[in-house]
Amino acid sequence: MTRARRRIAIVGGTAAGPAAAAEASRTDPDADITMFEAGPDISWGVCELPMLLSGEIERADELIVFEPDQFKDRYGVQVETGTRVESIEAETLTLDVRSEDGQVSTRRFDAVVLATGTRAVIPDGLRTDAPNVTLLRSIGDARRIREQLRDHSVHHAVVVGGGYLGIEAAEALHIQGVRVTLLQRGDRLMGRVLGDELAHVLSDRLTRAGVNIRFETATGLDVRSDGRVQAVRTAAGEKIGCQAVILGAGVAPNSELARDAGLALGVADAVSVNERLATSAHGIWACGDCITQADPVTKRSIWVPLALPAYRSGHVAGRNAARRGRGKPATMKSVVPVYGLRVFDTEVAVVGSDREGLRAAGYEPVDVYASQVNRASLLEHDRIHMSLTADRSTGRLLGGRFVGGAGAALRANALSMAVRLGATADDLYDLDTVYTPRIAPMHDVLTVAGRQMQKALGRGGGRE
Amino acid sequence: MTRARRRIAIVGGTAAGPAAAAEASRTDPDADITMFEAGPDISWGVCELPMLLSGEIERADELIVFEPDQFKDRYGVQVETGTRVESIEAETLTLDVRSEDGQVSTRRFDAVVLATGTRAVIPDGLRTDAPNVTLLRSIGDARRIREQLRDHSVHHAVVVGGGYLGIEAAEALHIQGVRVTLLQRGDRLMGRVLGDELAHVLSDRLTRAGVNIRFETATGLDVRSDGRVQAVRTAAGEKIGCQAVILGAGVAPNSELARDAGLALGVADAVSVNERLATSAHGIWACGDCITQADPVTKRSIWVPLALPAYRSGHVAGRNAARRGRGKPATMKSVVPVYGLRVFDTEVAVVGSDREGLRAAGYEPVDVYASQVNRASLLEHDRIHMSLTADRSTGRLLGGRFVGGAGAALRANALSMAVRLGATADDLYDLDTVYTPRIAPMHDVLTVAGRQMQKALGRGGGRE
């Protein structure tokens, strides 16, 4: 007796979705797998999008890892692009699907994997259909902005929001020869993430690289009679004239479909999953940027829209959705949040959960600041600024942030390992770092920060 | 009642010696500290020496951190350069000291710190007084070689020995426009350290950069009537014509003074010390490249001539020599060997003890090989080749080696942390690495190697 082919739906085709589909296919080569993607493209490099805008990557198709047909040929997965899953009936694993031609069909599955990613959060006053106001979330977005640049009518662009994406967009436009103003509400760039000292270093370096940063809140858009925006209005009552606007505003989990299906949501309204990435509904798994993850330090649920955990979770969800109870279930145990960025010659990396999460888990976070050259000071060098966070009573390392020249971001890997393994400030001070003049100084910013932390906590290594 | 000023002798003034002297002075500002240095310079950047030869560092004095007078002014330490400590009478802490003018005096101390560093090991047939055969161990050496290059009479140079220093010397000469042949006995470059696969990658990259590598053993020198060497003879009977020779041959602990004083020597004939860096003789401490260290993984005694442990040990020895029993003694607990190198665009890093040491400690080392791009493959990139070593039964990470493009060496820091903390292959596979296209790919060589190791050991992470 042969069992019927298992029907698996993958909802979302950007990154975690394809990972899930591919792994489901490897797990059960006989499964009947369909991947639904609302947009035109699947399996493409989201993180490289700013480099398509800057021109470092020339052609949009370079970003695409698999065309739908290639993906089908390679993994035996049906791919339906331009197709939106409008609702899920969790009880019966039935999906209402609107295809490219507007037809809605009802499709039944044995397992569903949600990989719906994020959605942009656009402040009210900035919603518009103006053709020169663009998000930077899809290949089409980057293409549209580059088309606007082609006729040289864009002399000045405003990027609203100074998060990772806003900063990368500002750099890309600058590389394209456009004068850029980056609008950030509050008084610091990535200040909540980086803290005062490093936020100042970052904005200072971006300013020197040629980006005009203004700490103001964008509240509205001035639209011309032809429908194009000609200025961004700020809370201070100013109008900043421009020929193009990029909304680098924040993102949130794209969890509406899950919520409407009655699935439990967790922190930040991300889809709540267990270690096996099962949602609260039987037969529905979730992965990627729309789910909650576990922080190994705080043991709390966190939302971390990051490529590596997204890929890994896709792998786990795809496996579990396809395994029919055979073999050991795959698990996604924990994620140490590690964000990285390089703009101009400045690298940024952030390791670990935020203060609120640390405090809620019972830690008493103590911060120290360190600054050190990135290679031997006798050679041409830059500086790396670092803040390090540890628990006051135990000295356990909880996280850290780096802003500076070449090598700043890669140093985050050692801290990521330390945080994951429960290392202390003493371990960091004792770390044997690689030293060779062209790559690192003898006293690396990592060990310097470790020493600063020992002092702050009144601890002394053996060498003190 | 005031105690007499404590008389402290520091023997050796390059790196660990000055660190010890400075810390001794901080610990007991009233101490009467004398630092003896046989050469003309103290407190200078040994690791930057190849860059003085290449011209990346222009002036020799840039390498010098402190001139003797500056050091005296800053730390209140007497500095006697050109002064050789000829013998130590351990019982009485009495030193026979030959000063620059040839006078020998007998000086008595309350504490002695040995920081005598390394000595070059020159194969018998290569010992010579020829003016165009040079070591690369002192500022004077680099100066002499650069003088030889000045009149453009050196068209071809032979570097004997393809260790770290030999490779750096070959690069420096190449940068100076000299055709270089690097002679290495055996059939691999740094093969004992890197293993076959990575040794091949390294020699291949150096060859492409323009260094002629020949796997032959230098057995002798052909000397002209004017006393200059005109060729290097090899075991195969060849004569390799050249106008200059650099002996990049190995180094050994410079422990003769200690041995003659009756001090216990340990592995590699390094001066045997305990955690407080006390030698077997009461009142004599030792530090820097002449001492044994403890490997935290094997718990065995190792000899690791490395700048960072040298500096750290100087700090500990200086403190303990000066503390007169007050306060907590400083300790030097352990060293994870971490070597780094960058030549041309190739980075090399080596983490952990050698196979013999691992085996002797009861580990069964298993090696895997991984190769991955150093940044997103859509951007201009290079590759990083890595071999990883773990214990067969426990999966504990024991070490690893990296050869490749930008970022290869800095990745060693995460492995160094992992090895120090007793992490396993699973921890490496689970590592949240920094990912941003311009700096690292999503699947870093670290996690790729971790996965390879899981497979080799028949272990599976949760995601498998």
Side-chain angles (χ1 to χ4, degrees), chain B residues 1-24:
Chain B
M1 195 181 100
T2 56
R3 287 207 277 179
R5 292 180 70 195
R6 186 167 171 85
R7 296 161 304 176
I8 303 173
I10 313 281
V11 185
T14 302
E23 182 63 12

Side-chain angles (χ1 to χ4, degrees), chain A residues 163-437:
Chain A
Y164 294 95
L165 195 66
I167 291 173
E168 285 186 294
E171 182 203 25
L173 290 169
H174 184 273
I175 290 173
Q176 290 278 14
V178 175
R179 193 160 58 85
V180 182
T181 296
L182 184 61
L183 276 190
Q184 170 62 40
R185 63 180 176 193
D187 55 1
R188 301 170 307 171
L189 204 59
M190 294 180 63
R192 213 177 63 86
V193 174
L194 294 177
D196 283 349
E197 202 117 33
L198 269 62
H200 180 76
V201 171
L202 176 60
S203 53
D204 192 50
R205 291 177 71 117
L206 291 182
T207 301
R208 275 189 285 137
V211 175
N212 180 31
I213 303 171
R214 292 179 66 167
F215 292 104
E216 297 184 42
T217 304
T219 52
L221 300 166
D222 251 31
V223 185
R224 297 194 309 203
S225 54
D226 67 353
R228 297 179 70 84
V229 164
Q230 61 184 2
V232 175
R233 288 199 305 272
T234 72
E238 277 191 275
K239 287 185 184 183
I240 304 175
C242 58
Q243 294 81 46
V245 177
I246 293 185
L247 299 177
V251 292
N254 187 19
S255 56
E256 285 175 345
L257 187 66
R259 184 197 62 202
D260 292 348
L263 273 57
L265 303 186
V267 57
D269 281 340
V271 180
S272 189
V273 291
N274 65 15
E275 207 179 65
R276 299 181 182 187
L277 304 189
T279 68
S280 62
H282 186 76
I284 305 182
W285 284 263
C287 57
D289 285 352
C290 67
I291 66 167
T292 60
Q293 299 271 9
D295 180 320
V297 174
T298 63
K299 314 290 180 200
R300 289 164 58 87
S301 193
I302 53 176
W303 179 58
V304 274
L306 276 165
L308 180 58
Y311 171 85
R312 289 173 163 178
S313 67
H315 199 87
V316 170
R319 168 75 65 98
N320 290 344
R323 59 183 273 278
R324 291 180 179 227
R326 291 176 297 210
K328 221 175 85 176
T331 55
M332 178 90 202
K333 293 213 176 69
S334 64
V335 175
V336 174
V338 179
Y339 293 84
L341 176 69
R342 201 191 89 196
V343 278
F344 301 106
D345 290 327
T346 295
E347 300 187 3
V348 177
V350 174
V351 176
S353 277
D354 58 25
R355 304 185 74 75
E356 296 71 43
L358 296 171
R359 285 226 177 79
Y363 292 108
E364 189 186 344
V366 174
D367 287 353
V368 294
Y369 165 80
S371 169
Q372 177 61 300
V373 289
N374 66 334
R375 53 174 70 97
S377 51
L378 284 180
L379 305 177
E380 195 186 318
H381 62 273
D382 197 346
R383 292 199 77 81
I384 299 175
H385 305 266
M386 178 181 177
S387 69
L388 177 68
T389 306
D391 179 44
R392 182 175 298 283
S393 61
T394 61
R396 177 174 181 167
L397 299 173
L398 303 172
R401 292 140 297 272
F402 304 78
V403 177
L410 278 178
R411 280 163 167 91
N413 286 337
L415 186 62
S416 173
M417 180 62 87
V419 165
R420 171 170 290 282
L421 296 175
T424 66
D426 300 339
D427 295 319
L428 190 60
Y429 180 52
D430 286 344
L431 179 65
D432 291 287
T433 56
V434 69
Y435 163 50
T436 186

